[in-house]
Amino acid sequence: MKYSVFKKSALALMLVSPSLLAIPPAHQVSELPELEQESHHDTAAERATAYFTRYHFSQPSLNDALSEQIHERYLKLLDYNKMFLLQSDIEASQEYATLYDDMLSSGELDVAYDLYQTSLKRRFQRYEYALSLLDEEQPMDFTVADDKYYYDREEQPWASSTEELNDLWYARVKYDALNLKLAGKEWPEIVETLGKRYNSALNRLTKSKSEDVFQTLLNAFARSVEAHTSYLSPQNSERFRQNMNLELEGIGAVLQSEYDYTVIRSLVPGGPADKTDELSPEDKIIGVGQGVGEDAEDFVDVIGMRLDDVVDMIKGPKGTQVRLQILEASQGAGGTPKVVEITRDKVKLEDRQAKLDIKTMDDGPYQGRTMGVIEIPGFYNNLTADVRELLEQVKDENVEGVMVDLRGNGGGSLAESINLTGLFIDQGPVVQVSDGRGQVDVSSDRDGKTYYDGPLVVMVDRYSASASEIFAAAMQDYERALVVGENTFGKGTVQQHRGLARRFDFFDEPLGSVQYTIAKFYRINGGSTQLKGVQPDIVLPSYVEASEWGESKEENALPWDQIDKAPYKPVNQVAEEELPQLQRAANERIENDPEFDYIFDDIERIRAEQDKTWVSLDINARKAEQEEQKALRLKRINDRLTRLGKEPLDSVDAIDELDEEILEVDPYLEQAMAIGFDYIDETKLASNKAS
């Protein structure tokens, strides 16, 4: 079947006359490719549809209702911030909103290709208009007090006219220019830089491929089914294989395309990006530059660039440098970008391994008392054997307890999470896994041996996910360990990766692959870790509410539910009646900890601005914000130096000369250790009373 999405005037695109442009476009709209479905796409679509429906945990029906969701998400993927398409384009496409099920089932995808083609032309028009605003002789006025750029328009209506889009894009160009101005560039440099950036965007549009359309459509389908279901293009499938085998040299980060942005989904523990201590999950990469210092090349704007191309720019040979322009997740899309320099390297096994650090309390009532802290960056193969060796080392140290630090641990091997649990209990069930048909499999530790039976604390944060949550939940359900920190991420699903190719295919092009959810994790108490995660026994301050982070914020995430409890016997090493007193003691210490005063101030600021959708285009206001942040940082560092009996600094520039031990304090770990000693003393007291 054949469809025509836009029959009348919707494709009559008004383009800015090249003669009016301050910087002429390097390409013409006629250079945009006419994208058409390739011969293998109908087969790939049919096979992907089978995986997303028959074999997915939720087994959704591909019907008109799901079709409308796919259509809506497809539009969001094409223009999530409503900066390109017009209301007339959206209205013209609504006639076909219920036909995506038919298209995917039959493999005839003309409607999706027509809409994507219109999106290409609208994007070309916008960047062409952006170039028209760059006049070296007429600098923009950055002193208009009420001038704002609304960077988040997801909830706003689509623009009704080209003139309305022009207004939005004037603010967008001014925002880009102001960021360069704040970075020290003069207007002629700004014009040159943005001219290259926007012309580069036009160049990318002229190099669009049929696979781009197919990938966008299939991911609109996948994400309409569930948050962790996706289609991987042939190139991304190969990259997935390389990442699984750690064959790729680069920065050690898992990247994902999220609408027009390249988002850091996770950092490989011990990798080059992780070691900078300047990047976090959910940060957005908006520019990539090769080299540093005298060898530095200009940044290439990567907003709107396909993920394949961004990854190709970031990866590279060991020892070379790359610079990333980052919008920090904590600052929102309207923040001022920061630059992070990274030296590419292979991720070394020793950097990913669990590590033991014997920590001694420096001051306070627990001064001089020690604890063995085992940091576990990820659940890699052979983790349990490594931790078993570390526990043997602990026996030779004068420590009162052990802490397992799972902060930032995004998971890994399910088998290792089960085996690691077995080091701390004799035997018994660890996790339950249920498939979409209701079949439940209980995975257990069966060795009948405990490798460490002393006081145990498990520390988690909002980045602790998947296998981390299985281990923490088991320790909590067995009452074997005191769980301390933030509410965890809440990912309680299992994915399977499958290639779409078959042995006797004779296509000229590879078919890519799919990833889809096949099962859910459940605690041995019957509750799921999905959405809710693991709530710590003792809660530490968090920058975000549990409901505003993690799996619960994913679109179409599977719901929380529960199944029957597995037969297990708690070891009763954590008494529930002691938890309120431990929480009160922790709260009192935190209230008197100056490092947490800084954290509370930051939390208050972040939460006050979490609904903000704009950024000022007044350079004086932005400079004032920057100076305020510098002054705040200097004050905090000087307060810390004063507490240590050291001389304060005269300027922010001197901070970089300080020792890392002064800069890299970890108040959360300090408090977790103090909570651990509270717990140890309460346990001893209860034991003495009982005897």
Side-chain angles (χ1 to χ4, degrees):
M1 59 184 168
K2 273 281 194 185
Y3 305 106
S4 177
V5 179
F6 304 106
K7 298 179 180 178
K8 299 182 180 178
S9 61
L11 283 178
L13 304 175
M14 296 173 59
L15 298 177
V16 178
S17 171
S19 63
L20 301 178
L21 298 178
I23 292 184
H27 299 274
Q28 301 301 315
V29 69
S30 59
E31 297 177 49
L32 290 176
E34 291 294 329
L35 300 177
E36 296 181 348
Q37 179 178 339
E38 296 183 27
S39 59
H40 62 284
H41 282 158
D42 56 349
T43 300
E46 291 172 16
R47 291 176 184 174
T49 297
Y51 281 119
F52 293 165
T53 55
R54 295 182 216 162
Y55 306 124
H56 192 278
F57 178 87
S58 58
Q59 297 184 340
S61 298
L62 184 54
N63 52 25
D64 285 355
L66 183 55
S67 178
E68 290 178 343
Q69 294 180 43
I70 296 169
H71 175 65
E72 182 179 350
R73 189 157 278 100
Y74 187 56
L75 291 174
K76 286 183 68 174
L77 289 172
L78 293 179
D79 185 10
Y80 87 102
N81 216 23
K82 300 177 181 174
M83 293 286 287
F84 298 101
L85 294 171
L86 291 167
Q87 178 64 34
S88 57
D89 300 328
I90 306 306
E91 291 173 354
S93 73
Q94 291 302 319
E95 179 180 353
Y96 305 99
T98 60
L99 293 178
Y100 285 79
D101 53 337
D102 300 323
M103 284 193 294
L104 290 163
S105 297
S106 66
E108 296 186 35
L109 313 175
D110 299 59
V111 168
Y113 276 80
D114 286 348
L115 184 51
Y116 196 97
Q117 196 75 43
T118 297
S119 172
L120 285 183
K121 293 178 181 178
R122 292 296 190 201
R123 284 177 178 268
F124 194 99
Q125 178 185 4
R126 289 298 96 216
Y127 285 113
E128 192 175 38
Y129 175 73
L131 287 166
S132 76
L133 301 175
L134 301 176
D135 188 338
E136 192 170 318
E137 302 299 323
Q138 296 182 2
M140 290 180 166
D141 183 359
F142 297 118
T143 62
V144 182
D146 295 329
D147 217 355
K148 300 175 181 177
Y149 167 54
Y150 287 85
Y151 55 82
D152 183 355
R153 298 193 64 258
E154 187 177 355
E155 301 301 323
Q156 298 301 310
W158 299 90
S160 60
S161 65
T162 300
E163 291 73 25
E164 189 177 341
L165 279 179
N166 286 349
D167 290 341
L168 296 173
W169 270 80
Y170 181 84
R172 157 71 189 274
V173 174
K174 192 171 183 179
Y175 166 73
D176 289 343
L178 179 55
N179 282 335
L180 294 173
K181 180 78 172 175
L182 290 169
K185 290 186 180 292
E186 296 301 322
W187 182 250
E189 293 179 282
I190 292 172
V191 169
E192 180 183 6
T193 300
L194 292 184
K196 290 179 180 178
R197 180 183 298 183
Y198 300 149
N199 266 317
S200 176
L202 291 179
N203 182 55
R204 292 197 301 271
L205 292 175
T206 65
K207 290 179 167 52
S208 299
K209 303 173 183 177
S210 175
E211 182 64 33
D212 298 337
V213 189
F214 188 72
Q215 181 173 245
T216 304
L217 174 62
L218 264 288
N219 275 315
F221 178 18
R223 295 305 168 86
S224 297
V225 172
E226 187 258 341
H228 296 286
T229 296
S230 60
Y231 165 78
L232 286 76
S233 68
Q235 189 171 354
N236 283 334
S237 295
E238 173 60 17
R239 188 167 291 119
F240 178 88
R241 185 193 67 79
Q242 291 175 330
N243 284 331
M244 291 300 290
N245 293 319
L246 295 179
E247 295 175 354
L248 194 64
E249 290 182 347
I251 66 169
V254 177
L255 306 180
Q256 180 176 318
S257 179
E258 189 172 283
Y259 305 119
D260 269 356
Y261 286 107
T262 297
V263 179
I264 296 175
R265 185 54 59 210
S266 63
L267 299 172
V268 178
D274 185 38
K275 287 181 177 178
T276 66
D277 289 326
E278 295 188 73
L279 296 170
S280 300
E282 306 303 322
D283 285 352
K284 295 180 173 67
I285 300 173
I286 63 170
V288 179
Q290 306 300 329
V292 299
E294 295 181 357
D295 298 327
E297 300 176 8
D298 288 340
F299 279 101
V300 175
D301 179 73
V302 298
I303 297 175
M305 187 180 291
R306 68 169 67 92
L307 182 63
D308 296 351
D309 295 334
V310 178
V311 173
D312 285 341
M313 292 172 63
I314 293 175
K315 72 178 184 180
K318 173 182 177 181
T320 58
Q321 287 84 30
V322 64
R323 302 181 336 275
L324 304 181
Q325 272 186 330
I326 298 295
L327 287 177
E328 296 179 90
S330 60
Q331 300 294 321
T336 300
K338 73 173 183 179
V339 176
V340 179
E341 298 179 355
I342 304 173
T343 299
R344 299 176 175 104
D345 200 354
K346 280 189 173 180
V347 180
K348 300 169 185 164
L349 180 59
E350 57 266 28
D351 291 330
R352 299 176 62 236
Q353 284 181 305
K355 297 178 179 65
L356 171 65
D357 192 1
I358 305 301
K359 295 280 189 180
T360 303
M361 295 293 285
D362 293 328
D363 52 27
Y366 297 129
Q367 184 174 359
R369 296 176 68 172
T370 60
M371 183 173 292
V373 179
I374 299 176
E375 180 184 355
I376 300 179
F379 282 78
Y380 57 88
N381 292 334
N382 211 45
L383 166 67
T384 305
D386 288 347
V387 173
R388 190 163 58 237
E389 290 183 12
L390 297 179
L391 292 174
E392 288 297 322
Q393 295 177 32
V394 164
K395 294 177 182 177
D396 298 329
E397 303 285 348
N398 185 28
V399 301
E400 297 184 52
V402 168
M403 177 187 296
V404 175
D405 188 349
L406 296 177
R407 289 178 296 170
N409 186 319
S413 168
L414 172 62
E416 290 294 343
S417 68
I418 297 166
N419 295 336
L420 185 69
T421 301
L423 297 181
F424 303 100
I425 62 172
D426 285 342
Q427 60 183 3
V430 174
V431 64
Q432 304 185 86
V433 181
S434 176
D435 62 20
R437 300 184 301 275
Q439 299 280 342
V440 177
D441 178 64
V442 180
S443 297
S444 302
D445 168 58
R446 306 180 187 279
D447 65 3
K449 183 177 181 181
T450 300
Y451 291 84
Y452 174 77
D453 59 3
L456 182 64
V457 177
V458 175
M459 193 175 183
V460 295
D461 67 4
R462 63 186 183 277
Y463 300 111
S464 304
S466 196
S468 292
E469 295 175 290
I470 291 170
F471 174 77
M475 293 293 95
Q476 192 175 60
D477 290 344
Y478 273 107
E479 298 176 15
R480 174 63 187 90
L482 186 72
V483 180
V484 176
E486 298 176 276
N487 204 95
T488 62
F489 190 88
K491 182 181 182 295
T493 57
V494 187
Q495 280 72 48
Q496 188 167 68
H497 182 260
R498 285 285 183 265
L500 295 178
R502 299 291 181 267
R503 178 178 299 178
F504 298 109
D505 286 342
F506 294 101
F507 298 113
D508 293 333
E509 299 292 334
L511 296 188
S513 61
V514 292
Q515 181 169 285
Y516 56 99
T517 298
I518 59 170
K520 288 175 72 173
F521 293 126
Y522 292 86
R523 303 170 64 138
I524 54 176
N525 70 5
S528 175
T529 56
Q530 176 67 3
L531 294 188
K532 292 187 177 182
V534 177
Q535 182 176 0
D537 300 311
I538 307 300
V539 179
L540 296 180
S542 178
Y543 287 89
V544 294
E545 299 288 349
S547 61
E548 298 169 351
W549 177 259
E551 188 79 1
S552 60
K553 293 296 289 182
E554 297 281 358
E555 292 182 299
N556 287 324
L558 291 180
W560 180 91
D561 61 350
Q562 57 186 346
I563 60 176
D564 292 338
K565 175 180 175 181
Y568 72 99
K569 184 178 180 181
V571 297
N572 301 319
Q573 290 195 21
V574 177
E576 187 173 345
E577 60 271 16
E578 295 175 4
L579 299 182
Q581 174 55 33
L582 292 175
Q583 184 72 66
R584 283 192 294 269
N587 292 345
E588 289 174 8
R589 267 193 310 272
I590 288 170
E591 287 175 6
N592 295 302
D593 185 340
E595 295 294 339
F596 271 94
D597 286 341
Y598 307 151
I599 291 170
F600 284 128
D601 287 344
D602 290 341
I603 290 173
E604 185 176 350
R605 174 182 56 82
I606 290 171
R607 291 184 179 175
E609 297 188 354
Q610 65 183 0
D611 295 326
K612 185 178 176 183
T613 60
W614 57 270
V615 61
S616 174
L617 295 177
D618 177 1
I619 192 169
N620 295 317
R622 293 282 291 277
K623 282 184 175 179
E625 291 174 4
Q626 289 184 344
E627 291 304 314
E628 183 181 347
Q629 288 299 313
K630 289 180 181 179
L632 179 61
R633 188 181 184 214
L634 181 61
K635 180 182 184 305
R636 291 178 177 182
I637 290 292
N638 280 337
D639 287 348
R640 188 179 297 158
L641 289 170
T642 300
R643 290 195 296 272
L644 294 172
K646 298 179 181 292
E647 288 294 318
L649 304 177
D650 294 329
S651 69
V652 173
D653 295 335
I655 292 178
D656 293 336
E657 301 174 9
L658 291 174
D659 293 337
E660 286 189 5
E661 63 183 22
I662 295 176
L663 295 175
E664 297 183 4
V665 298
D666 191 346
Y668 282 90
L669 181 61
E670 293 290 323
Q671 286 297 333
M673 287 179 60
I675 292 167
F677 291 124
D678 285 345
Y679 158 57
I680 290 169
D681 289 350
E682 287 287 339
T683 302
K684 288 179 180 177
L685 182 62
S687 178
N688 291 337
K689 286 181 179 179
S691 59

